[in-house]
């Protein structure tokens, strides 16, 4: 008998691999932080004896979900009562209330948000931090380290005042010097290079807030440090009007004509207002789209997901300003039916791919996570099918998960081989303490 650290047995294994393999009464074997075997439970039991065994009867075993666009600071912004005035007035109110946010506040916001994400089955999250990014970085990285989550901190830079570009309702922004911010970003990337679960990317904020010089600097950072780039593209109609009026081209076309930034590994959030030429550029340069259905439905626009899929553009999912990936999957599945006059909703399996392997690809991590395969890192979710919202189950289990599932079905979450959530209880940190301390931290920052 071979020794192993952990086996998960008697589950329905949704590998999300290239063959779309599903194994009934399947098992997974983990040693250290890696998957060392997958197969039928009876065969696995004859080969391995493990220190711990989890019974996954009535559960689907899935790769951990990847959240490809998020802002942990918006967690504090949940107090912002309304979207009145549109996106930029909303951001304006939010940013004003967060002016004094630093390491401590960001630690608690990150921890609170990350716990909520884990409880919805998310094992990897990228966080775009657009204000006080150097001060907040240690808080984010410490929280993710303690919780045991996989994460990327996108240290995001702005150097052009929103007022100057005429954003409706925008009065404040967090401006940095393009050269100093670039230097500081490289230092942060280097500090975290080599960490098992955590890394740092550069980021560009709301695009009109980036000077040409900053775009060049950030492109250089990506090349020098081999990191990806997180960016917002074509989120609102105002965005595209701005680029066309001020620069004479759409955002994608302006960048394509004048810079080499799209040649990097670019993860573009939203992409609601792109045209056919933009899509040609996206396909040619290999841009990955973080589709944010929940967020876009507040009024930003509708991303042409069917066209992206037809073109072979990689589409993954981002929650933007919520911390529940299953809610976002529900919205993704159904939102696009409103585009047409028929019953052509997205295929649920496709949505599951967006939340797993496509997300891993968008973060440059597809060799390590995103599917359940021997040799990959053990980021694994157990989805409980023995609950009222999904019984009876037999066929089309992916549809039950994506259309009828909620985070209450997430039973167990393993990240990097370590059990972080078991029977919906967080094992690595004290959740009630986090809620208490987070509330106190927010009260100190915004007054309640
Ligand atoms: Zn965003």
């Amino acid at each position: 008998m071979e020794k192993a650290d952990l086996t998960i047995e008697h589950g329905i294994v949704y590998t999300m691999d290239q063959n779309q393999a599903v194994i009934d009464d399947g098992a997974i074997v983990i040693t250290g932080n890696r998957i060392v075997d997958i197969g039928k439970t009876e065969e696995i039991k004859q080969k391995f004896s493990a220190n711990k065994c989890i019974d996954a009867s009535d559960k689907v075993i899935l790769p951990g979900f990847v959240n490809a666009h998020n802002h942990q600071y918006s967690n504090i912004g949940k107090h912002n009562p309304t979207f009145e005035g549109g996106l930029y007035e909303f951001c304006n109110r939010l940013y004003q209330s967060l002016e004094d946010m630093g390491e401590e506040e960001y630690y608690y916001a990150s921890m609170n948000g990350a716990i909520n994400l884990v409880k919805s089955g998310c094992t990897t999250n990228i966080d775009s931090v657009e204000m006080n990014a150097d001060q907040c970085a240690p808080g984010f990285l410490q929280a993710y380290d303690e919780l045991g989550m996989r994460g990327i901190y996108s240290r995001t830079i702005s150097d052009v005042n929103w007022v100057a570009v005429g954003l409706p309702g925008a009065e404040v922004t967090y401006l940095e010097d393009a050269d100093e911010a670039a230097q500081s970003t490289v230092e942060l990337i280097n500090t975290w290079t080599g960490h098992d679960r955590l890394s740092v990317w550069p980021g560009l904020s709301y695009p009109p807030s980036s000077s040409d010089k900053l775009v060049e600097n950030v492109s250089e950072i990506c090349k020098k440090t081999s990191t990806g780039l997180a960016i917002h593209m074509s989120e609102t109609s105002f965005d595209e009007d701005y680029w066309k009026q001020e620069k004479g081209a759409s955002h994608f076309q302006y960048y394509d004509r004048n810079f080499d930034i799209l040649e990097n590994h670019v993860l573009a959030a939203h992409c609601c207002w792109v045209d056919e030429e933009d899509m040609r550029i996206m396909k040619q340069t290999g841009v990955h789209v973080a589709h944010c259905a929940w967020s876009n439905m507040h009024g930003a626009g509708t991303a042409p997901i069917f066209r992206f899929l037809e073109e072979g553009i990689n589409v993954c999912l981002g929650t933007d300003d919520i911390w529940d990936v299953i809610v976002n999957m529900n919205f993704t599945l159904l939102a696009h039916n409103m585009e047409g006059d028929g019953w052509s909703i997205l295929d649920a399996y496709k949505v599951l791919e967006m939340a797993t392997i496509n997300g891993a690809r968008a973060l440059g991590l597809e060799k390590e996570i995103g599917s359940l395969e021997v040799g990959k890192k053990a980021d694994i979710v157990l989805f409980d099918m023995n609950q009222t919202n999904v019984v009876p189950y037999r066929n089309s289990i992916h549809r039950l998960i994506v259309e009828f599932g909620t985070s209450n079905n997430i039973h167990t979450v393993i990240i990097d081989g370590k059990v972080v959530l078991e029977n919906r209880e967080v094992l690595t940190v004290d959740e009630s303490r986090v809620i208490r301390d987070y509330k106190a931290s927010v009260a100190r920052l915004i007054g309640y």
Side-chain angles (χ1 to χ4, degrees):
M1 289 282 244
E2 290 178 50
K3 288 272 180 206
D5 290 330
L6 175 64
T7 55
I8 308 166
E9 301 176 352
H10 297 298
I12 302 162
V13 183
Y14 258 62
T15 63
M16 305 308 294
D17 69 2
Q18 272 192 328
N19 303 320
Q20 304 187 348
V22 176
I23 306 168
D24 284 326
D25 197 4
I28 295 196
V29 187
I30 298 159
T31 290
N33 64 355
R34 302 257 174 205
I35 297 169
V36 296
D37 208 346
I38 303 177
K40 285 279 191 188
T41 299
E42 283 316 306
E43 292 163 15
I44 292 290
K45 275 174 121 166
Q46 286 169 15
K47 276 169 72 181
F48 291 92
S49 93
N51 296 332
K52 179 179 167 80
C53 174
I54 295 176
D55 180 8
S57 299
D58 274 325
K59 294 178 185 66
V60 182
I61 306 172
L62 291 152
F65 300 132
V66 176
N67 191 26
H69 186 69
N70 185 224
H71 307 277
Q72 301 276 6
Y73 62 75
S74 296
N75 204 350
I76 305 174
K78 292 198 296 256
H79 70 283
N80 214 326
T82 172
F83 265 82
E84 198 178 333
L87 177 64
Y88 305 111
E89 281 202 21
F90 171 83
C91 290
N92 196 30
R93 286 191 297 273
L94 173 61
Y95 290 177
Q96 280 177 331
S97 69
L98 301 182
E99 262 173 341
D100 296 327
M101 183 177 65
E103 178 178 347
E104 184 188 309
E105 293 79 14
Y106 217 75
Y107 167 82
Y108 289 117
S110 300
M111 186 66 94
N112 187 79
I115 288 175
N116 211 61
L117 282 169
V118 166
K119 292 178 89 172
S120 73
C122 179
T123 53
T124 302
N125 186 43
I126 181 166
D127 184 19
S128 292
V129 187
E130 290 155 312
M131 68 198 76
N132 304 347
D134 279 336
Q135 295 92 319
C136 291
F140 170 90
L141 295 161
Q142 188 188 339
Y144 273 51
D145 211 18
E146 287 177 17
L147 181 61
M149 195 163 180
R150 200 177 299 285
I152 297 176
Y153 186 86
S154 174
R155 193 219 177 278
T156 302
I157 312 169
S158 298
D159 73 335
V160 175
N161 197 314
W162 289 13
V163 174
V165 297
L167 280 179
E171 291 165 14
V172 293
T173 189
Y174 290 79
L175 298 182
E176 297 184 272
D177 175 81
D179 289 330
E180 286 173 15
Q183 176 63 29
S184 154
T185 302
V186 170
E187 283 168 17
L188 196 61
I189 290 168
N190 290 338
T191 303
W192 285 86
T193 297
H195 193 288
D196 251 7
R197 285 178 287 101
L198 302 172
S199 61
V200 176
W201 282 13
L204 288 173
S205 180
Y206 180 72
S209 67
S210 313
S211 69
D212 289 356
K213 167 94 173 120
L214 179 58
V215 174
E216 285 167 2
N217 282 359
V218 165
S219 184
E220 200 180 306
I221 294 173
C222 292
K223 288 181 174 54
K224 200 155 67 179
T225 60
S226 302
T227 50
L229 168 69
I231 185 170
H232 295 82
M233 297 289 278
S234 299
E235 181 173 1
T236 67
S237 58
F238 177 86
D239 291 22
E240 281 312 298
D241 290 347
Y242 165 83
W243 290 101
K244 283 168 188 163
Q245 280 165 23
E246 299 296 319
K247 309 284 187 181
S250 75
H251 189 190
F252 272 109
Q253 290 166 47
Y254 180 69
Y255 275 13
D256 187 52
R257 284 176 204 168
N258 296 288
F259 309 98
D260 61 3
I261 191 155
L262 297 178
E263 291 168 15
N264 299 298
H265 184 107
V266 174
L267 172 53
H270 302 290
C271 302
C272 296
W273 296 88
V274 294
D275 62 20
E276 289 295 318
E277 174 61 9
D278 294 331
M279 280 189 262
R280 189 195 63 73
I281 293 167
M282 293 162 77
K283 186 179 179 183
Q284 187 182 43
T285 55
V287 165
H288 304 261
V289 176
H291 176 42
C292 305
W294 178 91
S295 170
N296 293 345
M297 287 178 80
H298 286 73
T302 307
I305 296 305
F306 288 112
R307 287 287 299 119
F308 291 156
L309 295 174
E310 274 170 18
E311 290 298 324
I313 294 166
N314 185 41
V315 180
C316 57
L317 303 183
T319 59
D320 209 359
D321 296 330
I322 49 167
W323 292 268
D324 187 321
V325 292
I326 294 186
V327 165
N328 202 39
M329 280 197 269
N330 304 153
F331 275 91
T332 303
L333 183 77
L334 295 171
H336 298 279
N337 197 29
M338 298 170 81
E339 288 172 23
D341 55 4
W343 286 83
S344 58
I345 61 171
L346 277 170
D347 173 50
Y349 191 85
K350 184 58 74 183
V351 176
L352 214 46
E353 280 183 335
M354 292 177 188
T356 54
I357 188 64
N358 291 10
R361 197 171 290 128
L363 297 182
L365 295 172
E366 72 275 18
K367 291 199 174 91
E368 298 283 25
I369 59 169
S371 59
L372 301 177
E373 296 180 64
V374 172
K376 280 200 170 182
K377 289 191 171 163
D379 287 9
I380 297 170
V381 168
L382 269 56
F383 186 101
D384 188 359
M385 298 302 289
N386 199 34
Q387 290 196 29
T388 49
N389 61 326
V390 286
V391 287
Y393 66 91
R394 184 162 176 174
N395 299 319
S396 300
I397 284 170
H398 42 274
R399 180 173 170 239
L400 291 170
I401 294 170
V402 173
E403 188 163 357
F404 298 92
T406 75
S407 59
N408 285 326
N409 296 100
I410 300 300
H411 182 276
T412 294
V413 175
I414 295 158
I415 307 174
D416 214 39
K418 190 169 176 182
V419 182
V420 174
L421 185 87
E422 189 165 28
N423 202 12
R424 289 202 63 68
E425 187 191 344
V426 180
L427 301 185
T428 47
V429 297
D430 180 344
E431 184 180 357
S432 56
R433 178 193 63 80
V434 169
I435 293 171
R436 187 195 64 212
D437 293 346
Y438 172 59
K439 285 196 303 195
S441 159
V442 173
R444 285 193 295 274
L445 184 67
I446 64 171
Y448 62 91

